[in-house]
Amino acid sequence: MSGERILVIEDEARIAQFVERALIYEGYRVNVARDGRTGLITARDNPPDVVILDWMLPGLDGLEVLKRLRTASPRLPIIMLTAKDEIADRVEGLDTGANDYLVKPFAVEELLARIRALLRPIEPASQPETLRFADLTLNTGTHRASRGERAIDLTAKEYELLELFMRNPRNVLTRDVIFDRVWGYDFGGESNIIEVYVRYLRQKTEAEGEPRLIHTVRGVGYVLRED
Ligand code: CA
């Protein structure tokens, strides 16, 4: 563990302590702020690698803190914590630039897994491998895909997007995560680019009427799964 810095912005002492202990145990350096304003100051003075941000905070609420953090650091990974009755708002949080969200109560292992996923860049495999999902295969060396026996030619971006799906099967990928991993946040306002490339991939992977594998999760993103 290389001691990445995690900033936890959470007003509930019990949750803040529990998360802080778990993160320290994992080898992260941790800063805790109990309100949004303190959180922003802490982020400025000790730039974090990941922020865990509660939605409901006294004073500046989580959404406002999120907007300001995102403005200051467009690529900073931010995980929002929401209570169950705030779930409807989570889509707004993702639209505003959160990379991920967790619904309270959550298992600490789940939080740690999300942090690891956000800290881990997708590196090209040192050894070419063949990724498989259902009857879809993707070779990371040749960048060739196939659906059953049928070979599929991919452009560079189509390959990157499909590789992201194949490496995260059955996990919902938010639009922000897809942007970040495939295009980078600097892509800016062209917000339908993901839809366009998903459409290309569907046309190619379903060209002979095969069942759909890339599904839309309305308002959130996409998932690679059967059915
Ligand atoms: Ca709270």
Side-chain angles (χ1 to χ4, degrees), residues 10-12 54-58 104:
E10 164 65 90
D11 59 311
E12 287 171 68
D54 188 32
W55 188 281
M56 296 293 283
L57 291 168
K104 294 180 190 176

Side-chain angles (χ1 to χ4, degrees), residues 85-145:
D85 54 1
E86 298 157 9
I87 287 179
D89 296 331
R90 75 189 181 191
V91 169
E92 189 184 352
L94 292 168
D95 285 347
T96 313
N99 301 80
D100 209 342
Y101 59 85
L102 269 179
V103 178
K104 294 180 190 176
F106 54 86
V108 73
E109 291 76 16
E110 182 64 25
L111 176 65
L112 295 172
R114 305 286 182 99
I115 291 170
R116 282 194 298 271
L118 288 172
L119 286 171
R120 181 177 57 229
I122 294 200
E123 308 276 2
S126 49
Q127 290 293 320
E129 54 184 316
T130 300
L131 307 174
R132 296 172 201 281
F133 184 80
D135 61 347
L136 186 62
T137 61
L138 183 66
N139 186 289
T140 62
T142 62
H143 287 198
R144 288 281 179 76

Side-chain angles (χ1 to χ4, degrees), residues 16-218:
Q17 274 171 16
F18 157 75
V19 170
E20 181 182 22
R21 274 197 214 112
L23 293 175
I24 289 172
Y25 187 78
E26 288 295 310
Y28 296 111
R29 293 177 291 165
V30 185
N31 295 102
V32 177
R34 291 296 178 74
D35 64 77
R37 218 167 277 284
T38 310
L40 289 170
I41 293 167
T42 308
R44 186 196 62 201
D45 294 345
N46 300 285
D49 297 296
V50 175
V51 176
I52 298 162
L53 174 61
D54 188 32
W55 188 281
M56 296 293 283
L57 291 168
L60 280 184
D61 73 1
L63 196 57
E64 185 57 35
V65 175
L66 172 64
K67 286 175 184 162
R68 296 191 191 186
L69 285 172
R70 184 54 75 221
T71 302
S73 308
R75 302 182 69 91
L76 175 63
I78 300 171
I79 302 173
M80 290 214 75
L81 305 179
T82 67
K84 267 211 165 62
D85 54 1
E86 298 157 9
I87 287 179
D89 296 331
R90 75 189 181 191
V91 169
E92 189 184 352
L94 292 168
D95 285 347
T96 313
N99 301 80
D100 209 342
Y101 59 85
L102 269 179
V103 178
K104 294 180 190 176
F106 54 86
V108 73
E109 291 76 16
E110 182 64 25
L111 176 65
L112 295 172
R114 305 286 182 99
I115 291 170
R116 282 194 298 271
L118 288 172
L119 286 171
R120 181 177 57 229
I122 294 200
E123 308 276 2
S126 49
Q127 290 293 320
E129 54 184 316
T130 300
L131 307 174
R132 296 172 201 281
F133 184 80
D135 61 347
L136 186 62
T137 61
L138 183 66
N139 186 289
T140 62
T142 62
H143 287 198
R144 288 281 179 76
S146 62
R147 187 89 199 252
E149 297 295 303
R150 185 169 65 79
I152 299 170
D153 284 324
L154 300 171
T155 66
K157 277 295 172 206
E158 289 168 353
Y159 170 80
E160 286 183 52
L161 182 57
L162 186 57
E163 185 187 8
L164 179 63
F165 281 119
M166 299 283 280
R167 289 193 186 281
N168 298 277
R170 299 181 197 86
N171 286 314
V172 175
L173 298 173
T174 66
R175 300 178 79 262
D176 285 305
V177 165
I178 296 172
F179 257 130
D180 192 34
R181 304 284 177 85
V182 179
W183 281 276
Y185 269 105
D186 53 359
F187 198 85
E190 190 68 38
S191 64
N192 70 342
I193 192 76
I194 297 176
E195 286 68 22
V196 169
Y197 274 85
V198 165
R199 192 162 70 236
Y200 292 158
L201 280 182
R202 282 173 174 166
Q203 283 167 357
K204 292 188 174 184
T205 58
E206 302 168 15
E208 295 193 352
E210 294 97 334
R212 173 154 297 180
L213 293 176
I214 303 169
H215 297 268
T216 304
V217 181
R218 189 166 292 279

